[in-house]
Every structure is written in C-alpha cells, then in structure tokens.
Amino acid sequence: TVVIDEFDREGFGMVYLEAAQHGIPSIASLLPGPDEAVLHEQTGLLVEEGNVDEIMKVILKLAKDSDLRKKLGDTAKKRVQTEFRPEYQFKKIERLL
C-alpha cells in the first residue's frame, strides 16, 4: 500500500524534463511528482500506476500519431525552456524566504 499525501511524494522525475528539452513527450505514472513534470495531454500522457493495458494503449497511441507526438513534444520543450529556467524557479521560492 502506498500512502500519498502532500509530504509523501514520488521523486519529481528530471528524466521527463530531459526528454522535454529534446521535444520528446513522456508517458508517466499518475502519481504526485511525475504529474508535476508531465502535464496530461499537454506535455505527455499520464497513466494509472501499474495499469499495463493503459500503458500499452498510450504507447501505441503515440507510436501511431505523429501529429500528437509533435504537439506534445513541442509544448513540453517550450514549457521546460520557460518554466524550468533557474530565474523562474527562484521567483517561485523567493516569497518563502
């Protein structure tokens, strides 16, 4: 059993941002952490953790739909180049200091 609350989070998943930097959409589990790095149907696709059928479906969906891959990949790249710049992230935490 996995206990998920605001303090018990899956790792953020830098690999999703690395893929986004290259315009590659991601498929990630719908868990706190990865769901912040991958925005469902915007920068990639989120699937229920452990749902092998759903994972298979989205892999095939992306494999067959080059327009969707490009759309998600382009959005992912734009997002990582704007929202994950150090100065943007610093502004988010500045108010907490």
Side-chain angles (χ1 to χ4, degrees):
T1 301
V2 177
V3 177
I4 299 176
D5 62 31
E6 68 178 298
F7 301 107
D8 180 16
R9 293 176 96 37
E10 173 82 11
F12 179 73
M14 291 300 295
V15 69
Y16 304 118
L17 300 185
E18 291 167 352
Q21 182 64 40
H22 296 282
I24 299 169
S26 293
I27 298 170
S29 294
L30 182 55
L31 293 170
D35 70 348
E36 292 178 55
V38 179
L39 303 179
H40 185 61
E41 295 182 346
Q42 294 177 50
T43 66
L45 300 171
L46 296 170
V47 296
E48 181 183 334
E49 179 186 20
N51 187 333
V52 177
D53 291 332
E54 188 178 6
I55 293 168
M56 209 167 36
K57 285 177 187 175
V58 298
I59 289 171
L60 289 174
K61 181 177 184 172
L62 286 180
K64 292 178 179 181
D65 191 339
S66 61
D67 291 337
L68 179 60
R69 282 194 318 271
K70 177 157 177 39
K71 177 185 159 205
L72 296 175
D74 288 349
T75 303
K77 186 172 186 174
K78 182 177 179 181
R79 179 176 183 239
V80 80
Q81 290 176 340
T82 56
E83 291 184 32
F84 293 96
R85 295 178 58 110
E87 54 273 9
Y88 183 88
Q89 292 298 310
F90 292 150
K91 284 180 185 179
K92 288 170 51 176
I93 63 169
E94 217 171 26
R95 70 180 193 277
L96 302 172
L97 300 176

